[in-house]
Amino acid sequence: DSGVTQTPKHLITATGQRVTLRCSPRSGDLSVYWYQQSLDQGLQFLIQYYNGEERAKGNILERFSAQQFPDLHSELNLSSLELGDSALYFCASSVDPAGGPVGELFFGEGSRLTVL
Amino acid sequence: QQQVKQSPQSLIVQKGGISIINCAYENTAFDYFPWYQQFPGKGPALLIAIRPDVSEKKEGRFTISFNKSAKQFSLHIMDSQPGDSATYFCAGAFQGAQKLVFGQGTRLTINP
């Protein structure tokens, strides 16, 4: 158990809808990262937050947004969903922006999104 | 320039054999190269990592070999066991930009 909690584990929705994925980082971790894992794209970095502030942005679509709250949990909002958004969405956390050591991220078990 | 290319996509090895997964990177600013292991239904977990000033790092049956001039690194799993069956991801990272750039993954199957 990595200590990172993600909900929901599974989500099925229709095209055009909006969903919110939630992540609680490990106790004491200030950084939260979101990754998308699909069969043909591997693990793609979406966005990173550190202590409530956006720290780095990756290949995140404009239809997607995220935030980190004062209690450090994070939410990833996906809107105007398309079939191609079906994927596993992972949240990861680390102690600080540079990790401890660098590159050591602790991943949750993911939220599987299916868009029909 | 951010890419990390990983091969093979899938690999089948007999129990007791050596599993070898290769990665190549483009971004010379990367200064940390971790390997993550992912079991079905679970998130990736850090397995072993290396910095480019070291040519080899060994932890138990797992060894990373690093060739800085060729911009390549590889994971060797000695005496492979069925419990090693998982998907393995190599990655590159650099300080100041904590995001990991992952390879495409290798699905490893160890036959008993």
Side-chain angles (χ1 to χ4, degrees):
Chain A
D1 183 4
S2 67
V4 177
T5 304
Q6 288 187 248
T7 57
K9 289 193 182 303
H10 302 276
L11 191 56
I12 301 174
T13 189
T15 55
Q17 294 299 303
R18 171 189 171 96
V19 299
T20 297
L21 310 180
R22 181 188 169 100
C23 169
S24 293
R26 289 189 324 156
S27 177
D29 284 359
L30 300 179
S31 266
V32 169
Y33 311 76
W34 286 97
Y35 281 82
Q36 180 191 56
Q37 184 176 34
S38 55
L39 283 175
D40 58 343
Q41 293 290 324
L43 275 162
Q44 297 288 314
F45 171 74
L46 296 178
I47 198 164
Q48 177 203 356
Y49 279 83
Y50 172 71
N51 204 20
E53 302 280 332
E54 182 183 305
R55 181 59 66 107
K57 216 166 186 176
N59 301 320
I60 187 167
L61 299 172
E62 285 191 9
R63 301 182 285 108
F64 296 0
S65 65
Q67 54 184 323
Q68 186 179 27
F69 295 86
D71 67 353
L72 301 178
H73 90 272
S74 178
E75 292 181 357
L76 178 66
N77 300 297
L78 315 175
S79 61
S80 302
L81 285 168
E82 303 175 358
L83 296 177
D85 297 328
S86 295
L88 257 175
Y89 291 85
F90 284 105
C91 170
S93 71
S94 68
V95 174
D96 57 36
V102 171
E104 184 168 18
L105 303 185
F106 295 87
F107 283 81
E109 295 193 346
S111 293
R112 182 174 292 281
L113 173 66
T114 302
V115 182
L116 300 176
Chain B
Q1 248 210 332
Q2 290 277 6
Q3 272 191 314
V4 177
K5 294 181 180 179
Q6 184 172 346
S7 63
Q9 280 190 309
S10 63
L11 180 62
I12 300 174
V13 175
Q14 291 299 117
K15 178 183 175 183
I18 302 174
S19 304
I20 302 174
I21 304 171
N22 300 300
C23 286
Y25 64 98
E26 298 174 356
N27 192 336
T28 55
F30 286 151
D31 57 7
Y32 189 75
F33 298 89
W35 285 87
Y36 278 75
Q37 181 188 54
Q38 184 181 23
F39 292 105
K42 302 293 184 183
L46 180 66
L47 180 65
I48 186 173
I50 197 169
R51 296 193 181 278
D53 54 348
V54 176
S55 62
E56 185 175 282
K57 183 173 181 180
K58 185 175 180 178
E59 288 185 2
R61 297 183 294 107
F62 300 90
T63 300
I64 301 178
S65 297
F66 190 86
N67 185 329
K68 189 174 182 177
S69 61
K71 293 190 287 185
Q72 294 175 347
F73 58 110
S74 60
L75 175 69
H76 295 233
I77 306 174
M78 311 299 288
D79 187 26
S80 299
Q81 300 296 311
D84 297 330
S85 297
T87 300
Y88 292 81
F89 293 93
C90 62
F94 47 91
Q95 287 190 339
Q98 180 57 9
K99 63 179 182 179
L100 293 173
V101 178
F102 284 95
Q104 290 296 96
T106 296
R107 178 173 289 186
L108 174 65
T109 302
I110 308 299
N111 284 335

